[in-house]
Amino acid sequence: MAYGWRWLRSLVFSVTIYAAMLPIGLAYLPWAIAHRDGAVAAAHRWCRFVTWLARVLLGLRTEVRGTPPGGEVMIAAKHQSFLDIILIYGAVPRGRFIMKKELVYAPILGQIALRLGCVPVDRGKRGAAIKQMMADVRAGRADPGQLIIYPQGTRVAPGVAAPYKMGTAALYRELGQPCVPVACNVGVFWPKRGVLRRPGTAIVEFLPEIPPGLPPAAFMETIEREIEARSDALMAEAGFPLAVRAH
């Protein structure tokens, strides 16, 4: 009975947070059309709504540890579920993502993503897109911000091992910016698949900044070591057993 009630509340939660995008988007629409600040404010407002409703309806509290960066940096994050996207984006002033160019043509979503400063790229042409983004920032055509990437390239469930992709090192070199690693345990409570959300404290933690200029191999070794070790510690704090990793 308790499981069924928790599953039902999780379903109501999921439906509600996606439905809330429409009224929040409409409320901020005039400002968003006039200036990108409006789109950013709308996205931050939605993130706050999601974390509030998770606490009230599900007993799922959220916590951001460390110091979220405010300047131009690359954020390399552990990706376990949609919740880490919400918490990381909600914690930084000007977050943006690299996205597939096809998403630009998605109704509403594509235009919002562009207003947020997300970077649409063609397959195999990410370097050119990043150089254009940096040129636009320097010329005042775009706002500086925090580029959020996921070095493993996809959501990875707690306890599952997945490689870190060398494309992250190429992007780090192209940007010439500091990199802030981010660890998390959110997948323990909000899994990558399914409806059920569990009570507890979901955490993302901003780790010490890595300066620009490291050789690619050293950079990759550093971010994997830091992100995995701290994510394991956060998951252990949440009671998740890590004695055996799945591959």
Side-chain angles (χ1 to χ4, degrees), residues 2 9 72 81 170 172 228:
R9 286 189 296 178
E72 281 198 89
S81 77
Y172 165 77
E228 291 300 308

Side-chain angles (χ1 to χ4, degrees), residues 164 218-231:
Y164 279 58
F219 170 72
M220 293 301 297
E221 190 277 332
T222 299
I223 63 167
E224 181 169 358
R225 181 185 67 244
E226 297 296 326
I227 293 173
E228 291 300 308
R230 191 58 196 150
S231 293

Side-chain angles (χ1 to χ4, degrees), residues 15-245:
V15 171
T16 302
I17 64 172
Y18 289 110
M21 289 180 176
L22 181 59
I24 291 175
L26 289 175
Y28 284 84
L29 183 59
W31 185 13
I33 292 173
H35 198 280
R36 183 170 291 167
D37 285 351
V40 173
H44 281 160
R45 179 67 185 86
W46 183 78
C47 290
R48 291 194 299 271
F49 172 74
V50 172
T51 57
W52 171 82
L53 190 64
R55 184 179 70 252
V56 171
L57 188 59
L58 307 176
L60 175 55
R61 298 175 299 279
T62 58
E63 182 180 345
V64 176
R65 295 181 182 174
T67 303
E72 281 198 89
V73 299
M74 183 176 85
I75 294 173
K78 185 73 174 175
H79 189 20
Q80 293 182 337
S81 77
F82 191 32
L83 183 55
D84 54 71
I85 294 177
I86 294 168
L87 294 181
I88 294 169
Y89 185 86
V92 298
R94 288 281 181 177
R96 55 190 172 205
F97 299 88
I98 294 176
M99 67 181 192
K100 295 178 182 178
K101 189 172 183 179
E102 292 78 9
L103 291 177
V104 170
Y105 305 105
I108 302 176
L109 176 63
Q111 296 309 305
I112 290 175
L114 290 176
R115 293 299 284 165
L116 291 176
C118 295
V119 184
V121 299
D122 288 318
R123 185 180 298 274
K125 297 183 179 179
R126 182 173 61 181
I130 294 300
K131 290 176 182 176
Q132 183 61 54
M133 178 195 74
M134 296 171 67
D136 287 345
V137 169
R138 287 192 293 267
R141 294 188 297 269
D143 297 318
Q146 301 79 43
L147 185 64
I148 304 164
I149 67 163
Y150 296 100
Q152 290 171 295
T154 186
R155 293 172 298 173
V156 178
V160 174
Y164 279 58
K165 299 185 176 182
M166 283 300 296
T168 306
L171 186 57
Y172 165 77
R173 184 181 64 249
E174 289 166 8
L175 289 171
Q177 296 174 354
C179 175
V180 176
V182 178
C184 74
N185 69 1
V186 302
V188 174
F189 308 99
W190 183 319
K192 60 184 290 187
R193 295 188 181 90
V195 172
L196 185 65
R197 309 287 182 256
R198 298 177 176 87
T201 302
I203 301 167
V204 298
E205 182 171 352
F206 290 86
L207 305 177
E209 181 181 281
I210 299 170
L214 289 182
F219 170 72
M220 293 301 297
E221 190 277 332
T222 299
I223 63 167
E224 181 169 358
R225 181 185 67 244
E226 297 296 326
I227 293 173
E228 291 300 308
R230 191 58 196 150
S231 293
D232 282 354
L234 293 175
M235 288 186 285
E237 182 179 327
F240 185 81
L242 289 164
V244 178
R245 278 186 173 270

